[in-house]
């Protein structure tokens, strides 16, 4: 053990000795290296100092450059914002000018459209066909009309004012009523009226066609009064001339008023025929009643003198024969019936007279109640036609709207024609019914008056009855 410790101690000593030797060596090496490192460190510090200086200079340069860039940026930003403001201002001005231009363009086009509508309806346009191309050029889309178009529009109106004061007599071509082109004399009075006269003497009025470039004859005839006036003007015999100041509305009315009766009835629809049937039946009844009542003589004063004379003389048989001979008088028929009860009491005579009167009344008043009913039915049928026509009109409005008035005219015509026809049938029936009713009242009044007279005459002969004398069939 001791040897081992000793050996270890010896090794330790040896190792320490070797380490001491190595430490010295290392120290020298380290010192050398340290010196080298220090030199390198100083060199590095110098290098770093130079680089820091360069960096600082570069940083100062960059900061200066950044400051300049920032300043330049602010300047450019301010210029950009100013340009934006200027752009916005210019855009606003441009939009305002565009709006004004659009307004001016719309006003010019609207005026041109109105001018086109006017010149299409003007009687002077066929004599100045150059107007229509000018208006078509102004109305072309995507082209601003400009001042030149305004001047052209103004010139068109000035030219229209000038031609509106002219009276033009010449030979012209126009479309006749049969749709064929014809030539004839024409006279235009300003912008109001143009008439034509063909070589065969036909007269009529002219209106511009749908395109405005030609003339078309108006349907209907001017009538003999107007024809005479127009012929005199054509021949230079008169200075009078019919002028339509309504721009064609009066001529259209002239054509409508000359619509045939069949066309007028057809416009009233199916309810026209029941109204006409009512009128026909009423007409037949009225004719029959007038004929029948005209054969009845109401003035029986002359006959009553003879009857009273025969009754006063007690000539009953002769009196009844006389009444039979005068049977066309209803009064005589009633008296004849009353004489059958001559010699009876007053009440019986009065009842006999009333019985005879009641027998005559149905014959006199025959069909008059029916006539009264027909007079009430005719306007009711017209009212039914009015309701039907208005229903049809509202159905058309529901489907097609109110954009085209011509589509509603059928229902309105049906409503108005049936009402007009119903009243036209009912009013004469009521008047004639009143006349017939008065005629019947007059006949009945005559019978009552004469019946009362004959009753008084018979009462005077009552004592003879009491003495046993037999009179008439009642005995």
């Amino acid at each position: 053990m001791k040897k081992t410790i000793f050996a270890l101690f010896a090794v330790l000593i040896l190792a320490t000795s070797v380490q001491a030797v190595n430490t010295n060596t290392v120290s020298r090496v380290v010192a050398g290296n340290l010196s080298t490192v220090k030199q390198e460190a100083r060199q590095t510090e110098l290098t770093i100092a130079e680089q820091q200086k360069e960096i600082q200079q570069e940083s100062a340069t960059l900061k200066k450059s950044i400051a300049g860039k920032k300043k330049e940026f602010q300047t450019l930003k301010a210029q950009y914002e100013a340009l934006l403001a200027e752009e916005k201002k210019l855009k606003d001005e441009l939009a305002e000018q565009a709006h004004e231009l659009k307004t001016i363009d719309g006003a010019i086009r609207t005026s041109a459209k109105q001018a086109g509508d006017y010149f299409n309806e003007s009687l002077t346009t066929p004599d100045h066909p150059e107007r229509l191309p000018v208006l078509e050029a102004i109305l072309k889309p995507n082209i601003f009309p400009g001042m030149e178009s305004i001047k052209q529009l103004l010139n068109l109106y000035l030219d229209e004012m000038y031609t509106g004061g002219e009276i033009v007599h010449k030979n012209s071509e126009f479309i006749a009523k049969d749709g064929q082109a014809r030539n004839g004399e024409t006279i235009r009075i300003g912008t109001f009226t143009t008439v034509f006269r063909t070589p065969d003497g036909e007269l009529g009025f002219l209106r511009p066609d749908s395109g405005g470039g030609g003339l078309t004859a108006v349907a209907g005839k001017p009538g003999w009064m107007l024809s005479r006036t127009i012929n005199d003007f054509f021949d230079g015999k008169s200075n009078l001339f019919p002028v339509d100041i309504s721009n064609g509305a009066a001529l259209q009315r002239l054509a409508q008023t000359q619509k045939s009766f069949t066309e007028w009835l057809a416009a009233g629809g199916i309810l026209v025929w029941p109204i006409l049937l009512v009128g026909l039946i009423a007409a037949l009844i009225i004719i029959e009643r007038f004929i029948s009542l005209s054969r009845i003589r109401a003035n029986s004063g002359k006959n009553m003198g003879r009857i009273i004379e025969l009754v006063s003389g007690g000539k009953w048989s002769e009196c009844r024969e006389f009444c039979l001979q005068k049977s066309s008088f209803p009064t005589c028929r009633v008296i004849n019936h009353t004489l059958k009860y001559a010699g009876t009491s007053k009440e019986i005579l009065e009842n006999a007279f009333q019985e005879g009167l009641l027998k005559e009344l149905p014959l006199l008043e025959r069909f008059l109640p029916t006539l009264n009913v027909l007079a009430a039915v005719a306007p009711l049928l017209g009212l039914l036609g009015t309701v039907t026509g208005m229903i049809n009109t509202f159905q058309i409005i529901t489907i097609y709207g109110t954009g085209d008035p011509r589509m509603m005219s059928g229902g309105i015509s049906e409503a108005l024609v049936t009402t007009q026809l119903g009243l036209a049938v009912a009013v004469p029936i009521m008047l004639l019914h009143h006349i017939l009713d008065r005629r019947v009242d007059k006949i009945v009044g005559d019978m009552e008056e004469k019946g009362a007279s004959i009753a008084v005459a018979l009462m005077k002969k009552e004592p003879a009855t009491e003495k046993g004398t037999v009179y008439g069939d009642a005995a």
Side-chain angles (χ1 to χ4, degrees):
M1 183 67 179
K2 292 179 177 179
K3 293 178 177 179
T4 304
I5 294 171
F6 181 77
L8 291 173
F9 186 76
V11 169
L12 181 60
I13 293 171
L14 289 173
T16 304
S17 298
V18 172
Q19 185 175 7
V21 175
N22 292 332
T23 301
N24 292 330
T25 305
V26 169
S27 298
R28 286 194 297 270
V29 172
V30 169
N33 291 336
L34 180 61
S35 177
T36 303
V37 169
K38 286 181 177 179
Q39 290 178 355
E40 291 177 353
R42 285 195 297 271
Q43 186 64 34
T44 302
E45 288 177 352
L46 292 173
T47 303
I48 291 172
E50 291 177 357
Q51 290 180 352
Q52 285 180 343
K53 185 178 180 181
E54 292 176 356
I55 290 171
Q56 289 175 353
Q57 291 177 352
E58 187 176 356
S59 175
T61 303
L62 290 175
K63 287 180 179 179
K64 185 177 180 181
S65 176
I66 290 172
K69 294 294 183 183
K70 286 183 177 179
K71 186 177 181 180
E72 183 181 1
F73 172 74
Q74 294 297 331
T75 303
L76 293 174
K77 184 179 179 182
Q79 292 177 355
Y80 176 72
E81 290 178 351
L83 290 174
L84 286 178
E86 184 69 18
E87 181 186 11
K88 185 175 182 302
K89 180 180 178 182
L90 292 175
K91 283 184 177 179
D92 293 340
E93 292 178 356
L94 182 63
E96 185 177 357
Q97 292 177 358
H99 179 70
E100 292 178 356
L101 288 175
K102 188 175 181 180
T103 303
I104 294 172
D105 180 73
I108 295 174
R109 292 183 185 280
T110 302
S111 299
K113 181 74 168 52
Q114 293 174 349
D117 294 339
Y118 172 78
F119 288 119
N120 281 340
E121 294 291 330
S122 176
L123 291 170
T124 61
T125 302
D127 295 335
H128 300 274
E130 71 278 1
R131 294 174 174 174
L132 299 179
V134 173
L135 293 172
E136 290 175 358
I138 296 174
L139 292 173
K140 281 184 179 178
N142 301 324
I143 298 177
F144 182 68
M147 288 300 297
E148 187 62 28
S149 299
I150 297 174
K151 292 179 180 178
Q152 291 175 343
L153 272 178
L154 181 60
N155 290 332
L156 289 180
Y157 279 114
L158 291 175
D159 183 60
E160 178 71 2
M161 291 174 63
Y162 175 76
T163 55
E166 295 178 338
I167 298 177
V168 181
H169 184 183
K170 63 178 182 179
N171 286 324
S172 304
E173 184 178 280
F174 56 88
I175 304 300
K177 299 172 186 175
D178 57 0
Q180 302 296 324
R182 300 187 66 179
N183 282 307
E185 290 183 90
T186 61
I187 293 179
R188 177 174 60 81
I189 306 295
T191 59
F192 299 113
T193 306
T194 299
V195 296
F196 71 90
R197 184 171 70 175
T198 59
D200 56 0
E202 182 183 2
L203 293 173
F205 294 95
L206 295 175
R207 292 296 304 166
D209 58 16
S210 57
L215 294 171
T216 304
V218 177
K221 297 180 179 178
W224 72 272
M225 286 287 291
L226 285 179
S227 298
R228 181 179 177 184
T229 304
I230 294 171
N231 274 321
D232 289 345
F233 194 87
F234 267 111
D235 298 333
K237 299 179 180 178
S238 173
N239 292 326
L240 296 178
F241 191 83
V243 175
D244 177 18
I245 60 174
S246 63
N247 197 24
L251 298 180
Q252 293 178 0
R253 181 64 180 169
L254 174 67
Q256 291 177 357
T257 53
Q258 293 183 354
K259 186 184 293 185
S260 66
F261 182 70
T262 306
E263 293 174 346
W264 181 74
L265 287 180
I270 193 171
L271 284 174
V272 165
W273 306 111
I275 297 174
L276 289 178
L277 181 61
V278 168
L280 178 62
I281 294 173
L284 294 175
I285 291 175
I286 289 170
I287 292 172
E288 190 275 337
R289 283 291 80 199
F290 267 107
I291 294 174
S292 299
L293 294 178
S294 64
R295 292 176 178 175
I296 298 173
R297 300 177 180 178
N299 187 7
S300 57
K302 297 180 180 179
N303 297 328
M304 281 306 299
R306 177 62 178 166
I307 290 172
I308 295 297
E309 179 182 351
L310 293 173
V311 170
S312 300
K315 300 177 181 178
W316 308 107
S317 299
E318 294 179 7
C319 183
R320 294 190 61 182
E321 289 178 1
F322 179 79
C323 289
L324 289 175
Q325 291 175 359
K326 303 295 181 180
S327 60
S328 60
F329 292 87
T331 303
C332 292
R333 292 198 295 269
V334 174
I335 292 174
N336 185 32
H337 179 76
T338 306
L339 286 174
K340 294 178 183 178
Y341 300 91
T344 59
S345 63
K346 177 181 177 183
E347 290 76 12
I348 293 176
L349 287 174
E350 289 178 352
N351 291 334
F353 170 72
Q354 291 297 329
E355 182 183 4
L357 187 63
L358 292 174
K359 285 182 179 178
E360 295 295 329
L361 282 178
L363 297 175
L364 296 173
E365 296 179 345
R366 187 174 58 182
F367 297 135
L368 290 184
T370 304
L371 203 60
N372 199 17
V373 170
L374 293 177
V377 167
L380 292 178
L381 287 173
L383 181 61
L384 179 60
T386 301
V387 174
T388 304
M390 294 309 297
I391 290 174
N392 293 334
T393 301
F394 283 115
Q395 287 178 346
I396 291 173
I397 292 175
T398 303
I399 297 174
Y400 301 102
T402 58
D404 190 356
R406 290 177 297 182
M407 299 188 69
M408 298 182 288
S409 61
I412 296 174
S413 296
E414 182 179 352
L416 297 180
V417 169
T418 51
T419 304
Q420 185 180 14
L421 184 62
L423 293 175
V425 169
V427 170
I429 294 175
M430 294 180 70
L431 290 175
L432 294 172
H433 174 266
H434 177 71
I435 294 173
L436 293 172
D437 196 44
R438 292 299 304 163
R439 173 66 177 171
V440 171
D441 289 344
K442 184 178 180 181
I443 295 172
V444 172
D446 182 72
M447 288 190 296
E448 290 177 345
E449 177 188 355
K450 301 304 185 297
S453 299
I454 197 63
V456 172
L458 288 174
M459 290 300 103
K460 292 179 180 179
K461 299 300 295 182
E462 186 177 358
T465 307
E466 293 176 355
K467 292 178 180 176
T469 306
V470 178
Y471 307 115
D473 298 339

